[in-house]
Amino acid sequence: MHDSGSSCSSNQSISIVWFRRDLRVEDNPALAAGVRAGAVVAVYIWAPEEEGPFYPGRVSRWWLSQSLHHLDSSLRRLGTSLLTKRSLDSASTLLEVVQSTAASNLFFNHLYDPLSLVRDHRMKELLTAQGVTVRSFNADLLYEPWEVNDENGQPFTTFVPFWNRCLSMHYDPATPLLPPKRIIPGDTSRCPSDILVFEDESEKGSNALLARAWSPGWRNADKSLTAFVNGPLIEYSANRRKADSASTSLLSPHLHFGELSVRKVFQLVRMKQLVWANEGNKAGEESCDLLLKSLGLREYSRYLCFNHPYSHERPLLAHLRFFPWVIDEGYFKAWRQGRTGYPLVDAGMRELWATGWLHDRIRVVVASFFVKVLQLPWRWGMKYFWDTLLDADLESDALGWQYISGTLPDGRELDRIDNPQFEGYRCDPNGEYVRRWLPELARLPTQWIHHPWDAPESVLQAAGVELGSNYPLPIVEMDAAKARLQEAVAEMWQLEAASRAALENGTEEGLGDSSELPQIDLSLEADMEVEHEQLTNNISGRRHQDQMVPSLTSSLVRVEEEEASVASVLRASDSRAEVPSPTDYELQSHREATDRAARHTNTDTDTDADAVAVRGGGITQQPSPVRLDHAEHSAGQSSGSRESGVVPVWSPPLTSSCSGLFVNDDAGITSSSYLDRHLHSRRRMNWGQLPQTTTRNWEMDNAIG
């Protein structure tokens, strides 16, 4: 992707259009503004180190590379090209591009994750000080986060009222913009493109397989949308839970990279809904409602991340700080490798590794199993999803994992366990999905496919299945998981009460919390026994950090000094990096004393009416799990017009009627490498003060997939 060679006249105003997750020429407000202003220099800056622990995974990088080539081709047809730069600091690189092209304007579209907001604000200050006009726009949402508030002017804390408000706004979402007919290119002769490398030799074979199933690029996204709206959409409500067929829209990767306009999707689906309503097609109307709710969940994920920028790191509900997560390397590895002994979970995890994709319902099943059955920290699972999903999306993934973990006010009940056996009956009734991804169970009759541990020995022998040998026994029996979850919930409340009492008495600083978790080296390639060579400098020299679960610190941007202070990583005997040893993780003595005072014997109770005991099987031998007994931001107060979209700047929240829902956290959001002077207050919800009638009538499997 190099400059096209032609340039504007000497008196032509030049604008930089900064592409990020808006890789399209259709309905791109920043590009439209640049075209109106005069000549355009379209630039994409590859600076993954700025993302801290959230360096893009292999399949995500493959999609990005294909999408950029597609965008460059589209821009060339319009008269310009895409300038690509490799950088460690986007703001400094933008300033260099501005100076070398003599540009007077910078246009870009908003992002809403905390790292991007801090980076964008720093960049705006830097370029404005140089006399450059900087404007930003909404190209990713129906409505900006600061436009949607409750009757008291405060951000919503649950999805249903938020989405109802979006659907009843007094003005409609902006009309999608048409692509420009022609773009006048700016002079980039003094600013050559860098060649970006997104894969190494060891990844090319796997990536070639992706190209058989997916077609990145905004034109391909538009074709996929049209085909879905005019085809499978009408039966979406009936088929969306079926994991054994292509029953979802498959639009989420296109939406994540901005190849597809959310406003265009919304408009097309609403138009289709009106047509079916006039025809009396109730099934079609319901399908449209569900797809629009999927858009709403995506919208809400950005809304939540903007108003609570720590949501990808910390639970929103205060008491979840004290949930005693289990630190167990064997559990984590078995889940990743699809060796848990629960066929639906294992099939999903093997599909994820092989294809970078999971059906929405299977995402819910494997995430629920991870958090509720294995009781592993939800951030570990979220980070693994980030590393392996084609549509890895920080905001959506944080919403999904917080919802499953019960850390949202309207999330799933904390003590609810989704039994994979029963989920298999619902979303894979014929067992075809399991047979596709677990060939060792392919000959097993449908009657036993989702619970082979109950199958008669003669049936197992006829199917060639030897439990504990070619397919594992259940890693945890379901009735034992229920009892353990009840104990953990009871312990959480005891620790929370003890900490609150200590704080009120002024005798202690309060207990530590389960956000203090060690890092985990996922080591994906080693874990799945895939050999690879070191990446080139254009990819990254930080492969080890690429696979690290982020630790919780007071900073949303980790610096090298913080990384160096983390406890050393446990190395398994087979040299596969795994979870850090709990012995390397020491707790402060005052926490231990308060913890001992808070504990007492818990009574085992039943939790989930759906869950049944796993009969006829056993539990595989695993390393003894260690329970981590001690194992949050301001609402956007910025203003800005819908037309010009000022980059939001956080400020401490004003006292309001909803402030009682949160517990103050004196840790500010800081970034020594970006914007040292910006400290932002955080708020965490207080479950005890939430209304007891909180609505839970939405499901994360409604998410676009």
Side-chain angles (χ1 to χ4, degrees), residues 147-168:
E147 295 180 307
V148 185
N149 294 304
D150 63 19
E151 59 275 8
N152 297 316
Q154 298 298 323
F156 289 99
T157 58
T158 55
F159 169 70
V160 172
F162 161 81
W163 185 233
N164 288 339
R165 177 58 56 87
C166 289
L167 294 177
S168 61

Side-chain angles (χ1 to χ4, degrees), residues 1-3 65 68-69 72 76 81-84 193-194 196:
M1 287 170 273
H2 303 280
D3 58 312
S65 67
L68 288 174
H69 282 296
D72 182 57
R76 288 179 182 276
S81 62
L82 184 64
L83 175 68
T84 55
S193 282
D194 297 331
L196 304 183

Side-chain angles (χ1 to χ4, degrees), residues 2-10 12 14 39-42 75-83 101 182-191:
H2 303 280
D3 58 312
S4 58
S6 58
S7 61
C8 62
S9 60
S10 59
Q12 181 75 55
I14 300 177
V40 169
V41 173
L75 291 173
R76 288 179 182 276
R77 284 193 290 268
L78 293 172
T80 186
S81 62
L82 184 64
L83 175 68
T101 60
R182 180 174 177 268
I183 299 177
I184 302 174
D187 183 7
T188 58
S189 58
R190 295 187 298 167
C191 187

Side-chain angles (χ1 to χ4, degrees), residues 33-50:
V35 171
R36 289 194 301 268
V40 169
V41 173
V43 61
Y44 180 85
I45 299 174
W46 174 236
E49 288 79 10
E50 291 185 336

Side-chain angles (χ1 to χ4, degrees), residues 222-234 268 272 276:
D222 193 61
K223 293 176 182 177
S224 297
L225 172 62
T226 302
F228 178 75
V229 169
N230 294 329
L233 174 59
I234 194 169
L268 288 179
K272 203 71 173 180
W276 284 333

Side-chain angles (χ1 to χ4, degrees), residues 346-415:
D346 294 341
M349 295 308 296
R350 295 191 196 181
E351 180 188 22
L352 173 60
W353 176 254
T355 69
W357 177 258
L358 271 183
H359 185 283
D360 298 331
R361 188 62 202 169
I362 303 300
R363 298 188 194 200
V364 172
V365 170
V366 300
S368 178
F369 187 88
F370 184 90
V371 173
K372 302 295 182 65
V373 177
L374 301 181
Q375 291 183 32
L376 296 172
W378 61 270
R379 290 184 300 108
W380 294 1
M382 186 187 77
K383 182 59 169 63
Y384 186 76
F385 269 26
W386 173 266
D387 287 331
T388 53
L389 279 171
L390 270 170
D391 60 347
D393 185 279
L394 183 60
E395 297 95 329
S396 294
D397 290 348
L399 175 65
W401 281 90
Q402 291 241 24
Y403 167 81
I404 290 296
S405 304
T407 58
L408 297 177
D410 53 350
R412 289 198 169 187
E413 296 85 350
L414 183 58
D415 58 357

